[in-house]
């Protein structure tokens, strides 16, 4: 077949070597014409024999980092018949296409830094079209060098030749560089600046020093993961007494100190290179993750990391470089200012970071992959919207207060932004506002609708309300747990007209339309609305936010509700119980809450797990899960009455079992199974009654692998009828996706 076509390729097709791939394909098949980047993706004009084979190969043979969403063809006529095939200059600005996430060092580039070519041997910024920085260096679209933080590094003749050669894997690799012309490392300690930065950094780490190291999306704080004293010093300086520390290691380190299975190995070695929670192997210092049976591991994902790991030949702590509660540091001067009191030395470089990205975090369970934090390597990838949302308006959704992330809807796709953090922190709020402007500019996004959480005091809600008011946009407040349910439905492709879903939504807190704090809910809903069918019996949050920080407060009210005040007096007699009980009885700074997260805290406190206070969010629940992991115990029935699902029988059983000598691990397992069965029973009843065809599990508590497993077993349903989170976080990091699809569905309904 011979023909002349205009071919539009949509998807993740810029910054992945797509144009040289098309060039090589065209030469192989005798196709004439041109290819270029523009705001919609890749545009090809082509004629010649085998045009059908050419079009088919665009998807079938696409480069490894490419994601082809669509290949659209229309007839085309050249003004002047082409005699060859060329790569034309990019056109336009802004984006209708997807931007490629940062990608871990590929095997070819790894071989280069360990090879004999002096330009790249030991060079910490080696990359090609199959790997390297993308989103973290991007200032604008289309993705060309002039619109990245590499713009100031003029290519040497060698790099320029590689960049211009369509047959080279560095053809139009925008960050291409070598030791002659690219970014340079610098190592600075108390003795000054050192010439061989990697060697000096390795010596310092082996001597027990703490380093601040500049990565792709920000600085890490780093020390020797086998050195207990260095780890303890890092915890003291960073004021991080117990929160688990992430580790970076080579395969030999991970295989020794963990036991990754085939699926975990595949995720660790993927282009995203996330942190993956792995069961412990040969012991490392206990202080890395007190009270946990998993450690978070990642492979080195830049040449700098590979070179450093090669030099020290041992695993390293690689935790976010920030002051407590603040966002990760990204600038060199900022690192010296903020991290100078923590780090003994700084390993940085002169390539700027365009946007802050934490490391992504994943967990692999028998029920599938689980994303705990969606960031470097995973954003700004998009998700297709379900059937029925094809004509959805452009929507911006701003998420919640915790684990903040925003979401944009456009052209049938949802772009869920990167993890930002807690918006009560001023610098995180500043980063949130920057991200809002950043995404809007990069993706040429002009929303018709703004979606926010129902809570009026959330910073994200206030910002969304102000933007809607100032720009005359429609505002759509969305209840927190409805958003969780909708996010899970959307991720699983539940059609707009697919009917109602029974959603078990368990998390810390979210404002209900009745003015109380929800968090342990069974909802029956679709994208436009919901009914609340079951909930945990509410209990007062004594001291408001302090109840989240001090688990004994939650245990006290639950024990008092169960008629076990004498046990509360025994367990927490050193606490101001009289004042606390008075506040609870009079409702003084003690709002009623059905929070499952606070129930986790209550049970943990009863079992003696950090009852006085949590040093990081979720500490009590994470320790409780770790304690329960290898134990089995039949559930205690928790009946659903007029006041909700009452956990009182559970506390009576816990007291009896502990008195009879039961282990705390068995008690932790009993709690997980009892909570799971209580909500699974109610959800299954909705399905059996024909009110729902599917059950969705969402909310931060379902990042607990034990609770997830117990709930699935208790549901006893065909797994194809249970929606889980695999590509978006079950926690508040996925909240904005749910807000966005709800806003779009309601907007469509009103038209």
């Amino acid at each position: 077949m011979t023909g002349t076509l205009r071919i539009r390729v949509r998807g993740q097709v810029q910054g992945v070597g797509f144009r040289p791939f098309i060039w090589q394909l065209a030469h192989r098949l005798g196709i004439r014409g041109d290819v270029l980047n523009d705001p919609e993706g890749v545009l090809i004009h082509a004629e010649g024999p085998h045009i059908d084979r050419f079009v088919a190969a665009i998807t079938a043979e696409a480069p490894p980092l490419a994601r082809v969403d669509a290949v659209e063809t229309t007839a085309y006529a050249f003004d002047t018949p082409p005699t060859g095939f060329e790569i034309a200059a990019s056109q336009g600005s802004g984006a209708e296409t997807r931007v490629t996430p940062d990608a871990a060092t590929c095997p070819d580039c790894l071989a280069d830094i360990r090879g004999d070519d002096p330009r790249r041997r030991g060079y910490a910024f080696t990359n090609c079209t199959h790997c390297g920085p993308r989103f973290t260096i991007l200032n604008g679209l289309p993705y060309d060098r002039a619109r990245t933080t590499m713009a100031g590094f003029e290519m040497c003749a060698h790099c320029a030749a590689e960049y211009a050669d369509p047959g080279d894997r560095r053809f139009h690799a925008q960050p291409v560089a070598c030791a002659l012309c690219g970014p340079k490392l610098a190592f600075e300690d108390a003795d000054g600046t050192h010439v061989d930065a990697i060697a000096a950094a390795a010596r310092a780490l082996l001597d027990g020093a703490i380093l601040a190291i500049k990565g792709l999306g920000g600085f890490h704080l780093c020390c020797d993961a086998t050195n207990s004293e260095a780890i303890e010093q890092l915890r003291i300086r960073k004021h991080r007494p117990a929160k688990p520390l992430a580790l970076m290691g080579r395969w030999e380190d991970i295989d020794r100190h963990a036991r990754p299975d085939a699926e975990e190995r595949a995720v660790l070695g993927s282009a995203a290179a996330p942190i993956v929670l792995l069961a412990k192997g040969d012991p490392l210092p206990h202080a890395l993750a007190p009270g946990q049976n998993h450690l978070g591991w990642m492979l080195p994902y830049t040449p700098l990391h590979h070179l450093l790991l090669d030099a020290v030949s041992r695993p390293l702590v690689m935790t976010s470089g920030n002051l407590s509660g603040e966002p990760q540091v990204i600038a060199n001067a900022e690192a010296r200012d903020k991290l100078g009191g923590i780090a003994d030395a700084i390993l940085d470089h002169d390539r700027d970071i365009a946007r802050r990205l934490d490391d992504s975090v994943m967990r692999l369970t028998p029920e599938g992959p689980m994303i705990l934090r969606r960031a470097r390597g995973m954003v700004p990838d998009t998700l297709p919207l379900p059937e029925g949302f094809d004509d959805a308006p452009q929507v911006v959704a701003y998420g919640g207060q915790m684990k903040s992330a925003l979401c944009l809807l456009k052209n049938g796709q949802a772009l869920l932004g990167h993890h930002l953090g807690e918006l009560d922190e001023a610098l995180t709020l500043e980063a949130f506002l920057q991200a809002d402007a950043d995404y809007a500019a990069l993706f040429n996004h002009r929303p018709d609708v703004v979606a926010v959480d129902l809570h009026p005091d959330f910073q994200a809600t206030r910002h969304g309300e102000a933007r809607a008011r100032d720009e005359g946009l429609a505002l759509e407040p969305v209840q927190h747990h409805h958003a969780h349910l909708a996010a899970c439905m959307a991720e699983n492709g539940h059609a707009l007209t697919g009917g109602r879903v029974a959603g078990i939504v368990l998390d810390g807190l979210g404002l209900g339309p009745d003015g109380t704090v929800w968090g342990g809910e069974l909802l029956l809903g679709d994208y436009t609305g919901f009914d609340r069918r079951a909930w945990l019996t509410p209990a007062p949050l004594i001291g408001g936010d302090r109840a989240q920080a001090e688990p004994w407060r939650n245990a006290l009210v639950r024990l008092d509700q169960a008629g076990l005040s004498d046990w509360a007096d025994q367990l927490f007699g050193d606490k101001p119980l009289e004042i606390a009980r008075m506040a609870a009885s009079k409702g003084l700074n003690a709002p009623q809450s059905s929070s499952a997260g606070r129930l986790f805290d209550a049970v943990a406190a009863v079992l003696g797990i950090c009852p006085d206070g949590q040093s990081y969010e979720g500490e009590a629940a994470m320790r409780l899960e770790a304690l329960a992991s290898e134990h089995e115990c039949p559930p205690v029935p928790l009946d659903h009455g007029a006041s909700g699902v009452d956990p009182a029988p559970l506390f009576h059983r816990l007291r009896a079992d502990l008195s009879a000598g039961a282990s705390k691990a068995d008690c932790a397992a009993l709690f997980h199974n009892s909570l799971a069965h209580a909500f699974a029973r109610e959800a299954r009843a909705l399905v059996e009654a024909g009110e729902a065809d599917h059950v969705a599990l969402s909310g931060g508590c379902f990042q607990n692998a034990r609770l997830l497993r117990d709930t699935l077993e208790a549901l006893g349903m065909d797994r194809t009828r249970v929606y889980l989170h695999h590509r978006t976080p079950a926690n508040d990091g996925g909240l904005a996706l749910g807000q966005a699809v709800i806003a779009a569905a309601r907007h469509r309904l009103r038209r």
Side-chain angles (χ1 to χ4, degrees):
M1 173 183 174
T2 301
T4 304
L5 296 176
R6 180 182 188 273
I7 305 168
R8 160 67 63 201
V9 187
R10 301 185 188 278
Q12 186 173 292
V13 291
Q14 293 188 10
V16 295
F18 210 89
R19 289 173 299 170
F21 154 67
I22 293 296
W23 182 89
Q24 292 169 10
L25 183 63
H27 280 264
R28 191 179 88 205
L29 296 176
I31 301 296
R32 299 175 297 277
D34 59 62
V35 59
L36 57 88
N37 280 346
D38 71 2
E40 295 187 50
V42 167
L43 182 62
I44 306 165
H45 303 107
E47 71 170 16
H50 312 304
I51 194 76
D52 53 344
R53 289 173 55 193
F54 177 74
V55 173
I58 290 173
T59 299
E61 301 179 27
L65 294 182
R67 301 291 183 271
V68 177
D69 292 339
V71 178
E72 302 162 1
T73 60
T74 55
Y76 182 75
F78 285 98
D79 293 335
T80 302
T83 57
F85 195 91
E86 65 178 21
I87 296 175
S90 298
Q91 296 179 359
S93 61
E96 305 292 335
T97 187
R98 286 156 61 179
V99 176
T100 307
D102 301 272
T105 306
C106 71
D108 288 335
C109 285
L110 187 56
D112 285 345
I113 67 171
R114 292 169 175 165
D116 297 325
D117 183 349
R119 291 175 51 236
R120 295 218 164 84
R121 178 174 177 79
Y123 184 57
F125 304 93
T126 299
N127 67 87
C128 70
T129 54
H130 303 312
C131 69
R134 299 291 194 277
F135 195 45
T136 52
I137 63 168
L138 183 65
N139 286 321
L141 290 169
Y143 175 64
D144 288 314
R145 190 178 182 98
R147 295 181 177 91
T148 73
T149 60
M150 287 295 296
F153 296 96
E154 184 176 352
M155 285 182 279
C156 66
H158 299 287
C159 286
E162 293 169 336
Y163 184 87
D165 180 1
D168 194 287
R169 79 174 199 276
R170 294 191 168 92
F171 175 77
H172 279 229
Q174 306 307 337
V176 67
C178 72
L180 301 177
C181 62
K184 301 291 191 294
L185 286 177
F187 180 80
E188 182 181 344
D189 61 12
D191 297 326
T193 301
H194 298 252
V195 175
D196 190 337
I198 293 292
R203 285 194 300 271
L205 288 167
L206 295 175
D207 287 341
I210 297 168
L211 305 188
I213 298 177
K214 191 175 185 179
L216 277 184
F219 276 81
H220 289 101
L221 288 167
C222 176
C223 71
D224 179 355
T226 69
N227 186 328
S228 297
E229 292 183 5
I231 295 166
E232 185 60 30
Q233 192 60 230
L234 174 59
R235 287 200 175 279
I236 291 171
R237 294 183 191 177
K238 199 180 178 187
H239 305 292
R240 187 173 175 172
K243 189 174 183 179
L245 298 169
L247 304 177
M248 180 178 282
R250 304 159 299 167
W251 277 119
E252 52 262 48
D253 301 316
I254 294 175
D255 287 336
R256 176 181 177 186
H257 298 292
R259 298 290 183 264
D261 60 23
E263 188 177 8
E264 289 167 335
R265 294 180 72 86
V267 172
L268 282 163
S270 69
I275 297 169
V276 180
L277 300 189
L278 301 175
K280 292 180 179 179
D282 289 354
L284 284 167
H286 173 75
L288 289 170
Q292 303 301 316
N293 48 22
H294 288 74
L295 289 171
W297 285 94
M298 59 182 156
L299 287 167
Y301 55 82
T302 71
L304 186 159
H305 294 131
H306 280 285
L307 293 168
L308 190 60
L309 266 293
D310 286 350
V312 297
S313 296
R314 63 187 62 189
L316 298 173
V317 169
M318 202 69 72
T319 189
S320 180
N322 64 319
L323 299 179
S324 181
E326 292 190 4
Q328 191 175 17
V329 168
I330 63 171
N332 295 352
E334 183 187 16
R336 283 161 176 75
D337 178 45
K338 293 192 172 182
L339 304 181
I342 302 175
D344 300 302
I346 294 178
L347 177 61
D348 64 17
H349 54 77
D350 54 354
R351 185 180 70 201
D352 290 340
I353 296 172
R355 62 186 47 77
R356 177 184 291 105
L357 285 182
D358 286 296
D359 294 310
S360 293
V361 183
M362 287 189 67
R363 183 176 195 175
L364 282 297
T365 75
E367 287 70 42
M370 182 186 292
I371 294 178
L372 309 183
R373 186 168 70 199
R374 194 170 184 272
R376 178 195 49 77
M378 295 184 181
V379 293
D381 196 11
T382 62
L383 293 89
L385 291 175
E387 179 185 340
F389 285 93
D390 297 342
D391 61 347
Q394 291 194 33
V395 179
V396 59
Y398 286 119
Q401 188 78 354
M402 307 286 289
K403 299 177 177 64
S404 174
L406 53 83
C407 182
L408 310 181
L409 298 193
K410 183 178 179 182
N411 296 339
Q413 298 281 324
L415 189 153
L416 181 61
H418 59 281
H419 167 86
L420 290 162
E422 165 59 68
L423 296 187
D424 272 344
E425 164 55 47
L427 290 175
T428 306
L429 177 59
E430 180 181 318
F432 168 82
L433 298 176
Q434 289 174 345
D436 185 28
D438 190 26
Y439 279 108
L442 280 176
F443 299 98
N444 195 24
H445 191 261
R446 297 181 177 88
D448 302 299
V449 185
V450 175
V452 296
D453 191 89
L454 201 60
H455 201 302
D457 294 329
F458 282 1
Q459 294 286 359
T461 301
R462 292 175 176 174
H463 172 66
E465 289 174 341
R467 183 175 182 189
R469 181 179 61 250
D470 294 345
E471 299 181 23
L473 306 175
L475 179 70
E476 195 66 55
V478 178
Q479 199 279 323
H480 191 93
H481 301 93
H482 186 203
H484 274 304
L485 169 59
C488 192
M489 292 164 58
E491 178 184 335
N492 285 275
H494 187 81
L496 179 60
T497 57
R500 297 205 290 179
V501 173
I504 303 175
V505 187
L506 307 179
D507 67 355
L509 60 87
L511 182 66
D514 60 358
T516 66
V517 180
W518 292 10
E521 315 302 322
L522 174 65
L523 307 181
L524 180 64
D526 56 20
Y527 291 113
T528 59
F530 69 92
D531 296 323
R532 189 189 192 202
R533 291 300 184 91
W535 55 90
L536 280 174
T537 300
L541 298 174
I542 302 172
D545 288 345
R546 292 189 67 183
Q548 298 183 59
E550 299 176 7
W552 70 267
R553 296 170 181 266
N554 304 294
L556 172 65
V557 295
R558 288 298 184 184
L559 292 177
D560 282 354
Q561 284 181 336
L564 296 172
S565 297
D566 60 322
W567 194 24
D569 292 341
Q570 294 173 25
L571 292 172
F572 312 116
D574 61 333
K575 304 295 185 294
L577 300 186
E578 183 177 349
I579 295 173
R581 283 173 169 144
M582 181 179 67
S585 66
K586 295 185 177 182
L588 300 175
N589 194 23
Q592 292 291 318
S593 174
S594 59
S595 169
R598 302 293 76 78
L599 183 62
F600 268 88
D601 294 347
V603 173
V606 164
L607 298 182
I609 299 172
C610 50
D612 298 338
Q614 303 187 72
S615 65
Y616 60 91
E617 183 200 358
E619 178 180 7
M622 289 173 62
R623 288 178 178 245
L624 197 63
E625 178 192 355
L627 194 62
S629 61
E630 302 298 326
H631 294 257
E632 303 296 335
C633 195
V636 175
L638 305 179
D639 293 331
H640 179 214
S643 64
V645 176
D646 187 3
L650 170 67
F651 288 99
H652 282 275
R653 174 68 178 275
L654 289 173
R655 184 179 194 180
D657 285 3
L658 289 168
S659 297
S663 71
K664 292 182 178 180
D666 283 339
C667 291
L670 170 71
F671 163 64
H672 282 81
N673 210 7
S674 300
L675 182 63
H677 273 75
F679 278 94
R681 181 183 66 243
E682 301 297 326
R684 190 173 62 246
L686 293 177
V687 174
E688 291 170 350
E691 294 191 78
D693 287 329
H694 292 81
V695 175
L697 307 183
S698 191
C701 291
F702 279 114
Q703 293 187 151
N704 177 322
R706 174 58 185 263
L707 179 67
L708 179 62
R709 187 208 74 176
D710 286 352
T711 304
L712 288 170
E713 290 181 357
L715 283 170
M717 295 170 55
D718 184 333
R719 293 294 172 86
T720 63
R721 299 176 68 187
V722 182
Y723 292 152
L724 306 178
H725 288 274
H726 295 305
R727 295 185 62 192
T728 64
N731 64 30
D732 284 6
L735 197 68
L737 172 62
Q739 294 173 346
V741 291
I742 288 170
R746 290 177 177 170
H747 184 80
R748 182 178 183 274
L749 190 66
R750 294 190 186 110
R751 286 188 306 184

